[in-house]
Amino acid sequence: KAAEVKAPPEDFFLKGELGYGGDFGPDSGAADKHFICDGLVSSLREPHPAFFEAKRLQQPVVFKFVRERDGEVRVIVRNRYIFRTLDHLELGWRMWDASGEVASSEALALPRTAIPPGAEVSLNLRVPQAAAALQACGQWLAGGARP
């Protein structure tokens, strides 16, 4: 293990405070006259709202749910990878009712299938009906993929 060396804050520019743009001297940012600090994460590495939007837009698997009839839903799984199959991911689904409770959750009936890049696979699911008192409020389905 390497020895950790701690220097006093006075040895750093701005006495160890975070800085950006012209904070690093008159020549810093000379090549970028329009410096802004609005990336996906802050200088403290806290995610901005755009971080979650970018994460969602770059996900490799897309799930589409189509209601066929009561209790049956068709799930279309699309592989957005260009060169890779989905055999390294476990695909699943989860259902919530209007109370916010998870009513059902399980793996999709896809063994670690090699869904080819850019291809879609369609599956039929049987989903449990919500309690009678909650049926008018609806149910929510979500698909997910994890290694």
Side-chain angles (χ1 to χ4, degrees):
K1 185 175 175 180
E4 188 175 319
V5 177
K6 289 199 173 197
E10 297 79 36
D11 289 353
F12 295 99
F13 190 77
L14 295 177
K15 299 197 182 334
E17 294 294 318
L18 295 173
Y20 66 94
D23 291 344
F24 297 105
D27 294 329
S28 72
D32 186 5
K33 300 287 186 202
H34 305 286
F35 184 84
I36 55 172
C37 189
D38 65 351
L40 295 177
V41 293
S42 72
S43 58
L44 297 174
R45 297 187 178 116
E46 295 169 344
H48 291 161
F51 173 86
F52 300 103
E53 183 179 352
K55 180 180 174 185
R56 174 79 170 157
L57 291 172
Q58 294 174 18
Q59 67 184 6
V61 184
V62 174
F63 296 89
K64 181 177 180 185
F65 295 92
V66 180
R67 183 177 182 171
E68 295 291 318
R69 52 190 159 274
D70 284 345
E72 193 166 309
V73 174
R74 184 165 42 104
V75 181
I76 302 167
V77 181
R78 184 163 63 99
N79 179 356
R80 290 180 58 191
Y81 281 124
I82 297 173
F83 300 107
R84 188 173 190 182
T85 65
L86 295 181
D87 61 350
H88 66 289
L89 298 174
E90 179 182 321
L91 307 177
W93 65 278
R94 187 179 302 171
M95 183 182 74
W96 292 268
D97 59 24
S99 70
E101 296 294 319
V102 174
S104 185
S105 177
E106 64 184 63
L108 286 174
L110 275 176
R112 293 197 176 233
T113 305
I115 299 174
E120 291 182 349
V121 171
S122 182
L123 301 166
N124 287 329
L125 293 178
R126 297 271 317 148
V127 294
Q129 293 294 314
L134 298 173
Q135 284 184 358
C137 300
Q139 292 175 298
W140 293 268
L141 286 171
R146 64 177 175 214

